[in-house]
Amino acid sequence: MKERFKALPEVLQWQIISRFAGAAGFLLLFTVIMIFYRNVYLWLPSLVFMALLIVNGVFLLYNSLNGNYVSVSGVCENIEVTGLRKRVKSITLKLEENSLKISVRHKIKKLKLGDTVIVYLSMKAPVYTQDNEYVVFNYYAMEVRNEV
């Protein structure tokens, strides 16, 4: 299983590891609150978040190891940013025949027009059509390869 995990793309490995690390952090927080405060209202949220991250990490690990994901790569042709903070809101990738608009969930640094972007999607991810392009709102991981 270790070899199969190492054969996964690096960004998927990072997503899996970060979810289990977050669960370990909430486990540590849970134990500290249980030892010092012994109040159900304080430790219950950390227990819920820990369980949520473990389930999410196991789900992602299972789908990744079984190959239940699709990698889509394309060239970034449009970057839509928010008004005030100038964070990336969505990007549009130029594929062979069509365009794919992706709603970005996390902070992206150093993304420029013309960069190659690889997006790892679930096999069951819903893909919508809007204005003659495809739109995706949910993905596992995104990798940006800068133009050389």
Side-chain angles (χ1 to χ4, degrees):
M1 182 163 150
K2 186 176 180 181
E3 294 81 22
R4 289 176 54 197
F5 181 75
K6 287 189 176 188
L8 291 175
E10 188 176 325
V11 290
L12 282 177
Q13 290 177 10
W14 177 251
Q15 286 294 321
I16 294 167
I17 290 171
S18 66
R19 289 178 188 175
F20 284 124
F26 277 113
L27 176 65
L28 179 66
L29 182 65
F30 167 73
T31 55
V32 168
I33 291 173
M34 278 294 293
I35 291 171
F36 292 114
Y37 297 107
R38 296 185 183 162
N39 189 349
V40 172
Y41 296 113
L42 292 176
W43 59 259
L44 189 61
S46 63
L47 188 66
V48 169
F49 284 131
M50 179 187 69
L52 179 72
L53 284 172
I54 288 173
V55 168
N56 199 334
V58 167
F59 178 72
L60 182 58
L61 179 65
Y62 175 78
N63 282 334
S64 298
L65 290 178
N66 288 333
N68 295 335
Y69 65 92
V70 177
S71 64
V72 177
S73 64
V75 177
C76 180
E77 71 176 6
N78 187 16
I79 301 171
E80 185 179 342
V81 294
T82 59
L84 188 60
R85 295 183 63 199
K86 303 295 183 200
R87 292 185 63 165
V88 177
K89 184 176 172 182
S90 67
I91 61 172
T92 304
L93 302 179
K94 180 67 178 163
L95 305 175
E96 289 88 18
E97 297 175 0
N98 300 319
S99 294
L100 177 67
K101 185 175 182 179
I102 300 167
S103 179
V104 177
R105 298 181 312 205
H106 61 281
K107 188 174 182 178
I108 298 178
K109 300 175 186 176
K110 302 177 184 175
L111 177 66
K112 302 182 301 273
L113 296 176
D115 288 348
T116 302
V117 178
I118 301 171
V119 180
Y120 298 96
L121 304 166
S122 171
M123 295 283 263
K124 297 177 183 178
V127 179
Y128 305 102
T129 57
Q130 179 184 23
D131 299 331
N132 295 328
E133 64 184 7
Y134 295 111
V135 180
V136 173
F137 295 105
N138 194 6
Y139 57 90
Y140 287 148
M142 180 184 298
E143 181 180 1
V144 177
R145 294 189 181 163
N146 293 336
E147 181 181 43
V148 178

